[in-house]
Amino acid sequence: MFTHLEKLFHFVDQTVESICTKHPEEVHCHPGCADCCHAVFDVSFIEAAYIAAFLKENPQIISQQKQQAEQAAVAFEELMKTGGDPSVARIRCPFLSDENLCLAHSVRPVNCRTYGTPTIINDKGAVCGLSGFSQKSVYPTVKLGPLQESLKEFSCNLVGEDFGSRRFPLSWVVLRTDYFLPPSSSV
């Protein structure tokens, strides 16, 4: 069920590793930094299902992070209701531990995998504010648009156009894990 997604993740990881290797002074990511873990990310249905399958095998994460997920869900809903700008909002990820480490690192979504390197989506460039990338230089850039289109295609193939075209906050995956698992799932 997740073969195409895992291949996409592998491609993304290789691309990011290449950028990190070529620009080690600019990429400041390290365990415990957690700046990106306060950005507002939503995920495709296929990514949510992948994380849900992981959570089904690790139910202690759900119980351990439930309160944090509830707080994140409320903050996300308030942000959407008030028309806030998700690109500048700060909401703590429900998978961020007290030690500022990701409890779902192995199954993290594309946005998390690319954070810290230069990206472009909708013709707008972005990079972590803590990185050393200069606006006066040119760097290899991860184009998120085609990646998001692939995720949408994988999602639509899994659950149809209606749910496959939607995006979901990570907090919902923690709070409604079974919702993201196909009924025939044996995980």
Side-chain angles (χ1 to χ4, degrees), residues 91-102:
I91 298 174
R92 185 179 176 89
C93 177
F95 293 108
L96 186 60
S97 75
D98 292 339
E99 295 78 29
N100 279 342
L101 299 174
C102 179

Side-chain angles (χ1 to χ4, degrees), residues 39-105:
V40 179
F41 293 138
D42 54 9
V43 295
S44 63
F45 190 93
I46 189 77
E47 291 171 299
Y50 193 63
I51 295 166
F54 170 80
L55 290 174
K56 202 70 168 172
E57 295 175 3
N58 298 278
Q60 73 282 3
I61 294 174
I62 297 171
S63 58
Q64 177 183 335
Q65 299 301 112
K66 184 176 180 184
Q67 183 178 6
Q68 192 167 303
E70 289 169 345
Q71 291 169 351
V74 168
F76 183 84
E77 291 300 319
E78 184 65 23
L79 179 68
M80 295 298 106
K81 188 169 80 176
T82 61
D85 183 356
S87 68
V88 297
R90 305 291 286 170
I91 298 174
R92 185 179 176 89
C93 177
F95 293 108
L96 186 60
S97 75
D98 292 339
E99 295 78 29
N100 279 342
L101 299 174
C102 179
L103 298 172
H105 190 266

Side-chain angles (χ1 to χ4, degrees), residues 45 152-166:
F45 190 93
K152 180 181 175 185
E153 178 185 336
F154 301 160
S155 297
C156 288
N157 288 341
L158 181 63
V159 293
E161 188 74 25
D162 185 30
F163 286 114
S165 297
R166 295 182 186 181

